[in-house]
Amino acid sequence: MPEGTSRSTTHSTGTERGPSTGTSDGTATGTAGGRGGGSATGTATRTGPAPTGVPVPAADPVPTPAPAPAAAPRRARLAGRRATVDAVLRNSPLQPLFRLAATRRLAVLAYHGVDDPRVFALQMERLVRVARPVPLAAVEEAVRTGRTLPPRSVLVTFDDGDRTVLTEGLPVLTRLGIPAVAFVVTDLIGGDQPFWWAEAAFLAAHGGTARSLADCPPGEAVRRMKTLPDRERRAALAELRQSARARAPRQEQLTPADLLTLTRNGVAVGNHTAGHPCLDRCEGGAVRDEIGRAHDALTGWLGGETPTAFAYPNGNVDPRADAELRRLGYRIGFLFDHRHDRLLPPHPLRISRLRVNSTTGRDRFDTILSGLHPAVHHLRGGS
């Protein structure tokens, strides 16, 4: 979910009577969040995006303690302002122009978990009305043959492998006949270890300290950790575990059998590394090891079918990753930069994606699909 950068967001909520536009995207900007960046509210065991009060979502939402009662009015005001801005954008004269231009571009939606099944269903119902959902194989075929995808093509993707993709997302996708891709962190498959950014956020909020985080507020711990060399990030996590007052709750993860269930029902499974480090922060042979171990594990679990698609953790690209992906025969790779791409992506290992989550309101979802929201985001200096 990276990109020279980092991220991309697309939101559109369900039906014409979809959820209120006051619903936030649930992710924060920056390179800190897990699925890519900043922090987000939620429980310690949730890893999917949750409302954060920030206008644009980041990569890996991070659970944080519930806000103090005194903060509630301020958060409500921020949510109201966001809803107003989203409504103004969706009803502006620019929206029809962007929507027309979007018919000639590829929109790859980058979700994480499915925190709100009702809103997610509304988003997907809207998607089949206004766009053309395509499978991963169609994008790979376009890249292989040099033939452009059909107008209004949209690919739905999920990063990290949150179990709600199976329990909440798959029933909706199956009912509507929408193909998708789930990029999974293989070290977690079959266990109950929480995603590292969720665990770090919980530990920091419960008194955990680390030398590399000495001057860092608890709410900024994950953001800081993503900027550290990966060896230091791992050391900081170990120190947080030793010093925190409480242990982070366990989180049930997908199993190898679940991966087969997904693939048999139209959800392809792709490589998201073994442990979800920021690859550009890794040293030595760590990049090759992270990609290779995940590749081998997925090949075994998927009955010998080798994965052919990769999503960069947090959107952080690295030339060493490209070389390893080409060596292993990967056909396409995905960023997290909140942009559309061409119907024939010119850089197969650098395909742009739009950041979105299951709590995104209809107004924002529509302007993400059209490209108006990403345009405004980047105009304002967003990455």
Side-chain angles (χ1 to χ4, degrees):
M1 331 160 215
E3 193 13 77
T5 126
S6 307
R7 350 190 167 237
S8 156
T9 334
T10 318
H11 301 342
S12 147
T13 30
T15 63
E16 290 300 336
R17 299 181 312 180
S20 160
T21 58
T23 308
S24 86
D25 286 19
T27 47
T29 24
T31 57
R35 310 197 192 183
S39 61
T41 50
T43 65
T45 57
R46 296 295 290 178
T47 57
T52 59
V54 188
V56 179
D60 280 318
V62 179
T64 55
R74 178 175 177 274
R75 295 175 68 86
R77 288 195 299 271
L78 289 173
R81 283 199 290 270
R82 283 197 307 275
T84 299
V85 171
D86 289 342
V88 168
L89 284 178
R90 183 174 180 270
N91 292 287
S92 76
L94 292 174
Q95 173 68 354
L97 300 176
F98 273 83
R99 191 161 45 220
L100 177 62
T103 64
R104 301 186 294 275
R105 293 179 293 174
L106 169 64
V108 183
L109 305 184
Y111 286 89
H112 288 95
V114 179
D115 296 301
D116 191 327
R118 183 189 70 84
V119 175
F120 179 73
L122 292 174
Q123 293 173 345
M124 294 299 100
E125 288 165 3
R126 181 150 183 77
L127 194 65
V128 298
R129 288 200 305 274
V130 304
R132 181 195 297 261
V134 297
L136 176 68
V139 181
E140 292 183 342
E141 181 70 4
V143 167
R144 186 184 70 81
T145 64
R147 297 177 186 151
T148 61
L149 288 159
R152 301 184 298 116
S153 288
V154 176
L155 175 64
V156 177
T157 72
F158 300 88
D159 281 5
D160 305 333
D162 192 286
R163 190 169 176 77
T164 55
V165 174
L166 173 75
T167 59
E168 307 295 346
L170 185 58
V172 174
L173 297 171
T174 301
R175 172 170 64 84
L176 297 172
I178 299 175
V181 191
F183 294 100
V184 302
V185 180
T186 58
D187 280 354
L188 304 182
I189 298 297
D192 65 353
Q193 175 70 26
F195 297 113
W196 75 257
W197 53 92
E199 182 181 13
F202 178 91
L203 296 173
H206 287 77
T209 59
R211 284 167 294 179
S212 58
L213 305 176
D215 60 344
C216 183
E220 293 294 315
V222 171
R223 186 178 301 275
R224 170 71 63 81
M225 291 171 73
K226 289 194 172 189
T227 68
L228 299 174
D230 195 59
R231 184 176 299 176
E232 291 184 29
R233 173 188 68 85
R234 294 173 185 273
L237 182 58
E239 292 177 48
L240 289 172
R241 287 170 176 162
Q242 293 176 348
S243 57
R245 296 187 300 270
R247 181 187 178 195
R250 301 297 86 186
Q251 176 175 354
E252 184 181 8
Q253 300 286 355
L254 293 171
T255 67
D258 292 334
L259 300 183
L260 290 175
T261 298
L262 289 172
T263 60
R264 290 166 181 164
N265 289 276
V267 179
V269 172
N271 188 334
H272 201 40
T273 71
H276 200 291
C278 294
L279 293 179
D280 61 336
R281 304 295 178 182
C282 292
E283 301 174 356
V287 170
R288 182 169 183 171
D289 177 68
E290 283 284 341
I291 295 173
R293 282 196 297 116
H295 180 83
D296 292 343
L298 290 173
T299 300
W301 293 330
L302 299 177
E305 288 289 327
T306 58
T308 56
F310 179 82
Y312 299 88
N314 203 58
N316 295 34
V317 296
D318 187 283
R320 296 169 297 175
D322 286 8
E324 181 65 5
L325 293 172
R326 291 191 179 94
R327 187 184 73 82
L328 293 172
Y330 280 76
R331 298 171 190 147
I332 51 180
F334 293 94
L335 307 175
F336 200 63
D337 54 345
H338 203 40
R339 300 178 189 272
H340 284 79
D341 213 311
R342 299 179 190 175
L343 289 174
L344 179 59
H347 306 294
L349 292 180
R350 294 280 199 286
I351 298 176
S352 290
R353 290 192 294 171
L354 298 159
R355 294 193 297 272
V356 63
N357 64 47
S358 67
T359 63
T360 300
R362 194 192 77 180
D363 286 347
R364 180 168 292 194
F365 187 76
D366 281 1
T367 57
I368 287 174
L369 280 179
S370 72
L372 178 54
H373 181 276
V376 171
H377 171 59
H378 290 293
L379 185 65
R380 296 177 60 192
S383 61

